[in-house]
Amino acid sequence: MTALSPSLAPQTRRRLALGSRHALPVALVAVFLLFSALAPGFLSLANLESVLVNNFTLLSIVAIAMTFAIAAGGIDLSIGTAVDFASFSFVTLVLSGQPVPLALAAGLGGGALVGLFNAVLIAGIGISPFLATLGTLFIGRSVQQLLTNGGNPVYLPPAGVPESFRFLGRGTVAGLPVPLLVAGAIILIAGLILSRSRFGRVVSATGTEAEVVRYSGLTLKAHLAGTYVLVALIAAVAGLVLTSTVTVYIPSSGNAFLLNAIGAAFIGTTLHPHGRPNIAGTVLGVLLLSLVANGLLMSGLNFYWQQVGTGLLIFTVLALSFASRKA
Amino acid sequence: MLAETAFVTPATPYHPGEEAAVPARSQIGLHAAKLGLQGGAFAVFALVLLIFALSSPIFLSPFNLGNILAQSAISGVLAIGLTVVIIAGGGNVVTGGIDLSLAANMGLSAAVYASLSQAGQPDAVAAGAALATGLVIGAVNAVAVTRFAIVPLLATLAVMNIVGGLELVLTQNTVIPAVTPLLETLSGAGPLGVPVLAYGLIGFALVTALAVQATPLGLRIQAVGSFPEAARASGLAVNRFVAGSFLFSGLSGGLAGIFSAAYLSGSTTGAGELLLPVVVTALLGPVFSRRLVPSITGTLLSALFVGVLINGFQLLNLSSTLVSGIQGLLILLVVSATTLLKRKEG
């Protein structure tokens, strides 16, 4: 819980190291074995690939973005808004006949805009991230409805769209699906940034000891601002991949990722010796959520029970890891 | 206003060192700014009322005003439940008190009520079961937060998923109509032609406000949230109060479920969409309180303000989608102002 409450007493912090770290890997293995035994077809190569491509990729990108916000001691509730703005800019430019690379750049720009707005609120004015990004989420929802005549989806007609548009979502390189490669690249780069770069260390320090960062003469505000722009940029990539896959922009659809991204990032903190947000943990957290979603589907469980099952599982992992930290 | 009279201590963390360190003149300035901010919220509310009253002839009719109250009843009850959790858990939205399962709770409770009514159960059984459903959800949250020590944001997030799923399982994602004497009474008109739901909201808010803002129990709840260490040192069982706040919010989820069944003549899908508006309503509440802290009366006013906006936009044929944007802008304006104010103080 150090990630959340920097004011914990030192002895409490030392206790955090004990016992809690194994909950996530154990849960992953258990879930994998359970569904291999229960759900026919779960273990097939085709199904496992579908888990990675359909369940894992997009959520992993968004959850990694969220990990940066949480590492910096905050949260980004408007992460879906960045996904949506990227998607909207991308679709609009492609529809107006602009070349795909330009539309992709505009998509990243559209997402980054959301991040800049958050950066001004959080680093500039000093609003708490929860409230600032909640405001952004609400404003973003209205803006999208105004842009789309009250929330109508924007479809890309299959005929009028260049083939390159679908590359990001449906293409393959050396037999591997492009979305998976994009997610892999982002996982690697994000991992390097968060744990090996100077920027990443300052971000983590901001999350644990903001005062110390300030006293050390580091530019706290610039790093905070940079964090929220980076969060939105990574989320924007998810928006581009999503749009390229489904060839439609649906207003405010990015919010669907929000709660799972928060869940995965926080489940991931249980992997770290001091309960800090970390990329490896987030990736395992997303993998756990993806396996559960797919496994419940494959075991032929009623669609509605899947949500109950996912919730129960997250609850159990959280209870196990937090309760053992407390003890 | 009932306000937070029960909890006036000389130095609170909201304006530390105000008496001592700040020179007299800037102290006056700060007081003026604070009055302006707090008065500003009321001024905006009054202005909005005035604009709607001038532009729509039926806005001020008793029927429409009653309608606003009835429309706000569901989100108002939920936001009040959430406010109690925030007061007892502390204002930090990530580590402090929050209950994300409230909207899903309302949905499941309404579904339980509607299903039992459809199965021929009398009102007392259906209503009791709906309230019990809410209470059980609150109890699960309480155990998760106090026994398992899960951060409220995460614990209630997981519970929200479970409860939302259970509602889908129970209703198969369909609308369950319900017409019962209780629902008819609730959705009908009461004394003065005002809907009974409106009285329900006001009554619930008054009772809660009295309990939280004017009793020793309320004083303790506020102490537990604002100064957990001091509260613990003076012998208060902090965890019990936190657990109690979740039980209360669970119960308000159940009550909101019955209200929603009355308002919509049954249970409908998509209850989860109410979550963020309810969170915003509760977080906007402090501007309508004297010391800019969470309070029941503040949340009630905030719920009514949002209700007035939605209703006025409907009357003026303006797109109701703007309401979400305006809520977002308001929360940012309010929070920016308070943040800048506190920075000046500090």
Side-chain angles (χ1 to χ4, degrees):
Chain A
M1 249 172 48
T2 36
L4 297 163
S5 42
S7 56
L8 281 184
Q11 62 268 35
T12 322
R13 278 202 201 157
R14 240 170 279 130
R15 281 194 211 130
L16 299 188
L18 302 171
S20 63
R21 295 185 60 194
H22 308 300
L24 176 54
V26 168
L28 253 181
V29 173
V31 161
F32 192 82
L33 291 178
L34 184 75
F35 286 126
S36 300
L38 288 182
F42 175 78
L43 211 51
S44 75
L45 210 62
N47 183 57
L48 292 181
E49 189 188 324
S50 133
V51 171
L52 285 181
V53 175
N54 297 329
N55 301 87
F56 177 79
T57 42
L58 288 173
L59 182 58
S60 69
I61 299 175
V62 180
I64 280 172
M66 184 65 83
T67 308
F68 278 95
I70 296 174
I75 197 157
D76 187 351
L77 299 181
S78 66
I79 205 156
T81 315
V83 172
D84 292 330
F85 273 50
S87 177
F88 176 79
S89 318
F90 184 35
V91 166
T92 312
L93 260 71
V94 168
L95 266 184
S96 68
Q98 301 294 331
V100 170
L102 182 70
L104 285 173
L108 289 180
L113 216 60
V114 178
L116 274 176
F117 189 67
N118 286 332
V120 169
L121 296 174
I122 296 164
I125 303 180
I127 305 181
S128 87
F130 189 97
L131 295 172
T133 57
L134 188 63
T136 307
L137 167 65
F138 270 65
I139 295 172
R141 188 179 291 170
S142 269
V143 169
Q144 291 181 61
Q145 287 182 326
L146 289 175
L147 286 172
T148 56
N149 257 331
N152 296 313
V154 181
Y155 293 95
L156 283 167
V161 175
E163 197 48 45
S164 55
F165 174 82
R166 290 202 194 85
F167 175 73
L168 202 55
R170 303 235 177 114
T172 53
V173 170
L176 288 170
V178 174
L180 197 56
L181 294 174
V182 173
I186 286 189
I187 290 169
L188 275 181
I189 297 170
L192 288 177
I193 293 180
L194 191 58
S195 58
R196 297 267 178 274
S197 79
R198 187 174 177 282
F199 175 79
R201 281 198 299 273
V202 179
V203 167
S204 295
T206 307
T208 38
E209 307 288 348
E211 286 305 307
V212 175
V213 171
R214 197 171 297 139
Y215 294 144
S216 317
L218 294 163
T219 46
L220 181 71
K221 283 187 175 180
H223 280 90
L224 259 185
T227 304
Y228 283 92
V229 174
L230 181 68
V231 168
L233 266 178
I234 300 176
V237 175
L240 299 180
V241 174
L242 170 71
T243 315
S244 169
T245 312
V246 299
T247 63
V248 59
Y249 155 73
I250 302 169
S252 303
S253 57
N255 287 334
F257 295 110
L258 175 64
L259 298 174
N260 279 339
I262 297 176
F266 273 105
I267 288 179
T269 62
T270 62
L271 196 69
H272 190 275
H274 301 296
R276 298 280 307 141
N278 63 100
I279 300 297
T282 300
V283 170
L284 289 189
V286 175
L287 202 58
L288 182 69
L289 293 180
S290 313
L291 282 178
V292 171
N294 175 274
L296 289 172
L297 183 76
M298 294 301 284
S299 27
L301 204 62
N302 177 316
F303 176 76
Y304 304 130
W305 277 108
Q306 291 174 30
Q307 196 186 337
V308 181
T310 314
L312 278 175
L313 186 106
I314 299 179
F315 190 86
T316 314
V317 174
L318 289 173
L320 285 177
S321 56
F322 276 88
S324 59
R325 282 181 198 187
K326 186 189 171 197
Chain B
M1 211 167 102
L2 268 163
E4 314 76 32
T5 38
F7 196 53
V8 181
T9 46
T12 77
Y14 302 102
H15 24 83
E18 191 182 52
E19 260 78 18
V22 186
R25 214 172 59 185
S26 81
Q27 193 186 338
I28 293 169
L30 279 175
H31 272 299
K34 209 178 270 178
L35 274 178
L37 181 62
Q38 202 238 331
F42 288 102
V44 169
F45 200 165
L47 191 71
V48 165
L49 285 176
L50 188 69
I51 292 175
F52 286 149
L54 289 178
S55 41
S56 167
I58 57 166
F59 178 75
L60 277 185
S61 67
F63 172 77
N64 189 54
L65 291 181
N67 205 10
I68 294 176
L69 281 168
Q71 277 177 342
S72 316
I74 301 160
S75 63
V77 167
L78 290 176
I80 286 170
L82 179 57
T83 306
V84 171
V85 170
I86 293 176
I87 292 176
N92 183 325
V93 267
V94 177
T95 55
I98 190 113
D99 184 353
L100 298 183
S101 68
L102 263 173
N105 176 344
M106 184 270 287
L108 181 61
S109 302
V112 165
Y113 179 91
S115 307
L116 285 174
S117 301
Q118 216 180 37
Q121 295 293 335
D123 264 334
V125 174
L131 292 176
T133 304
L135 207 56
V136 167
I137 297 170
V140 174
N141 285 327
V143 168
V145 170
T146 56
R147 293 254 174 253
F148 298 150
I150 310 178
V151 183
L153 183 78
L154 291 178
T156 57
L157 182 69
V159 170
M160 177 192 89
N161 267 311
I162 300 172
V163 171
L166 286 175
E167 188 206 338
L168 289 173
V169 170
L170 182 63
T171 65
Q172 296 297 310
N173 208 11
T174 56
V175 174
I176 302 180
V179 182
T180 65
L182 173 66
L183 296 193
E184 276 173 8
T185 313
L186 278 175
S187 59
L192 303 173
V194 175
V196 177
L197 274 182
Y199 288 106
L201 172 64
I202 302 291
F204 180 72
L206 276 181
V207 170
T208 315
L210 278 174
V212 174
Q213 290 164 209
T215 65
L217 171 74
L219 183 66
R220 289 182 186 132
I221 295 175
Q222 301 197 27
V224 163
S226 313
F227 315 94
E229 292 308 319
R232 198 170 287 128
S234 47
L236 291 181
V238 172
N239 265 349
R240 272 198 209 166
F241 285 94
V242 173
S245 74
F246 280 108
L247 286 178
F248 179 80
S249 79
L251 199 62
S252 29
L255 183 65
I258 298 175
F259 279 11
S260 135
Y263 191 70
L264 303 166
S265 308
S267 92
T268 57
T269 57
E273 279 163 34
L274 206 59
L275 171 64
L276 289 172
V278 165
V279 170
V280 168
T281 302
L283 294 180
L284 212 54
V287 266
F288 293 109
S289 86
R290 212 177 46 207
R291 288 192 299 116
L292 302 177
V293 294
S295 70
I296 306 301
T297 39
T299 299
L300 175 65
L301 286 172
S302 160
L304 293 181
F305 180 57
V306 173
V308 162
L309 278 183
I310 295 174
N311 175 274
F313 278 30
Q314 279 166 350
L315 289 183
L316 298 183
N317 270 331
L318 283 172
S319 159
S320 63
T321 62
L322 284 175
V323 172
S324 132
I326 288 180
Q327 274 177 281
L329 273 179
L330 271 175
I331 196 160
L332 290 185
L333 280 178
V334 163
V335 178
S336 310
T338 28
T339 310
L340 293 175
L341 207 64
K342 275 186 194 166
R343 201 194 281 176
K344 246 185 164 177
E345 264 176 28

